[in-house]
């Protein structure tokens, strides 16, 4: 039997225009811009990556910014929120910072005994900051707390998380008709909440919605082992796909959310130095010959702001 799942590797969302996305993720949330590349399936669109200062798995948020994307709607069958971990006592500084910068947020609220706020990105994506004793560092470098999936009938997803992935069931919190069931792994980005809310609308993909969440495999062999277990559990899993910075497999879990399992290696320093991650447009080998045309077709973006510390 495998070791249990470590936690999240990355989360990928669809955003509006790339500049607003860069300004929000670096300027407002203080994330490091770690990779500027293109959507490998549609190279006229950027694929932008953000993470902690080490570009470590469990901190990596990626976006496909479509300038003309219609707004999506978080709802049933989708991941609906991503949460970053902040150390206990650090949330008030973030609240002060958002208030000072005119960034709208909801909260603070308490969830499973932890204080949290929810921020809306310019395209509407819900990003939460949650105070947790599991956080290690000084805020932007703490990586993910976890993600919330919106699933009306969560039983099959819960079985996948606990019986295949090895998450522990942490119980349920209720708010009105809605229930939030929490599952916990051991590593960074270890929390998966399943929100079931009969009054919520169905999800609609588009700007401001999460496309998929990716769990971590520690290497290629570990990934193949996870693949075999997911197939055995009845999932329709893709073959291994080379995503340049990791290998990926994908499947739709029983509640409808697109899951990925991504390898830690080779990582984001495979094609440029760790010190200068994100500064140049990186293209995989199959597009390098078309670099000029690809660059000409991409919207212009200003170089990301330097990291602001609190
Ligand atoms: Zn992915």
């Amino acid at each position: 039997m495998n070791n249990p799942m470590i936690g999240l590797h990355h989360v990928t969302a669809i955003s509006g225009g790339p500049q607003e996305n860069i300004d929000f993720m670096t300027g407002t949330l203080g994330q490091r811009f770690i990779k500027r590349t293109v959507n490998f399936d549609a190279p006229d669109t950027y694929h932008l990556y953000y993470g902690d200062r080490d570009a470590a798995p469990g901190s990596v948020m990626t976006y496909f910014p479509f300038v003309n994307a219609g707004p999506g709607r978080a709802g049933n069958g989708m991941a609906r929120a991503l949460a970053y971990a902040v150390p206990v006592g650090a949330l008030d500084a973030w609240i002060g910072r958002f208030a000072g910068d005119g960034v709208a947020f909801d909260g603070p609220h308490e969830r499973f005994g932890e204080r949290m706020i929810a921020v809306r990105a310019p395209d509407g994506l819900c990003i939460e900051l949650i105070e947790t004793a599991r956080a290690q560092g000084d805020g932007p470098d703490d990586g993910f707390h976890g993600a919330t999936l919106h699933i009306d009938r969560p039983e099959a997803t819960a079985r996948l998380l606990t019986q295949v992935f090895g998450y522990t069931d942490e119980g349920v919190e209720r708010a009105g008709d809605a229930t939030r069931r929490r599952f916990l792994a051991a590593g960074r980005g270890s929390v998966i909440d399943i929100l079931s809310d009969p009054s919520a609308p169905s999800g609609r993909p588009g700007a401001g919605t999460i496309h998929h969440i990716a769990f971590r495999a520690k290497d290629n062999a570990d990934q193949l082992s996870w693949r075999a277990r997911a197939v055995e559990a009845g999932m329709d899993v893709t073959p291994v796909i080379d995503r340049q910075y990791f290998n990926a497999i994908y499947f739709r879990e029983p509640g409808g959310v697109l899951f990925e399992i991504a390898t830690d290696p080779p990582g984001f320093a495979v094609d440029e130095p760790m010190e200068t991650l994100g500064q140049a447009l990186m293209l995989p080998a199959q597009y390098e010959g078309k670099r000029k045309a690809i660059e000409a077709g991409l919207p212009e973006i200003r170089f990301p702001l330097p990291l602001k510390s609190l």
Side-chain angles (χ1 to χ4, degrees):
M1 167 145 171
N2 293 49
N3 295 323
M5 191 62 83
I6 306 164
L8 292 175
H9 180 283
H10 68 269
V11 171
T12 294
I14 299 166
S15 81
Q19 192 63 55
E20 293 79 6
N21 182 250
I22 290 170
D23 292 346
F24 177 76
M25 289 300 294
T26 62
T28 302
L29 289 184
Q31 297 296 293
R32 182 180 180 193
F33 187 63
I34 60 169
K35 192 64 67 183
R36 182 194 314 203
T37 184
V38 294
N39 182 338
F40 291 177
D41 301 319
D44 58 343
T45 302
Y46 279 118
H47 193 182
L48 305 178
Y49 289 68
Y50 308 86
D52 67 3
R53 67 167 69 92
D54 303 319
S59 77
V60 177
M61 185 71 199
T62 98
Y63 291 89
F64 296 120
F66 291 104
V67 176
N68 297 316
R73 182 176 62 200
N76 198 29
M78 297 171 78
R80 61 170 296 133
L82 164 75
Y84 286 100
V86 302
V88 174
L91 195 63
D92 287 336
W94 282 97
I95 289 171
R97 173 175 169 164
F98 293 148
D101 288 352
V103 176
F105 61 90
D106 180 37
H109 301 296
E110 202 154 291
R111 184 186 290 167
F112 284 90
E114 297 174 333
R115 282 178 84 224
M116 51 88 57
I117 58 172
V119 186
R120 290 273 166 198
D123 53 29
L125 182 68
C126 179
I127 294 186
E128 298 165 341
L129 272 62
I130 302 182
E131 275 188 341
T132 175
R134 287 187 297 278
Q136 305 289 320
D138 55 3
D141 293 311
D142 280 323
F144 294 155
H145 181 278
T148 295
L149 317 182
H150 187 135
I151 298 172
D152 267 356
R153 283 194 287 276
E155 294 77 17
T157 306
R159 273 198 302 278
L160 176 74
L161 288 172
T162 55
Q163 295 176 16
V164 181
F165 283 6
Y167 278 69
T168 54
D169 187 341
E170 295 288 300
V172 174
E173 231 179 51
R174 285 173 213 285
D177 288 342
T179 59
R180 177 179 289 272
R181 183 175 285 275
R182 171 154 295 186
F183 299 87
L184 202 58
R188 224 180 190 200
S190 58
V191 174
I192 299 291
D193 282 355
I194 301 181
L195 182 66
S196 303
D197 180 358
S199 67
S202 58
R204 186 180 63 217
T209 62
I210 293 173
H211 185 263
H212 63 267
I213 65 171
F215 297 85
R216 282 175 73 180
K218 63 178 191 294
D219 55 29
N220 292 341
D222 192 37
Q223 181 180 56
L224 290 177
S225 171
W226 282 117
R227 188 178 187 285
R229 294 178 75 186
V231 167
E232 192 184 310
M235 303 298 118
D236 185 10
V237 190
T238 67
V240 174
I241 300 171
D242 179 357
R243 293 301 188 195
Q244 181 86 351
Y245 310 107
F246 44 84
N247 282 336
I249 56 173
Y250 303 86
F251 61 93
R252 216 164 270 286
E253 57 79 36
V257 182
L258 186 60
F259 277 8
E260 174 184 344
I261 298 175
T263 54
D264 281 5
F268 295 94
V270 69
D271 58 356
E272 58 182 333
M274 181 58 80
E275 298 73 38
T276 56
L277 288 182
Q279 293 187 13
L281 178 71
M282 304 312 296
L283 295 175
Q286 68 267 33
Y287 293 135
E288 200 48 70
K290 299 176 189 150
R291 173 175 282 273
K292 271 212 157 61
I294 287 173
E295 283 181 341
L298 288 167
E300 215 161 299
I301 51 177
R302 285 195 315 279
F303 198 74
L305 303 167
L307 273 183
K308 270 197 280 182
S309 52
L310 280 168

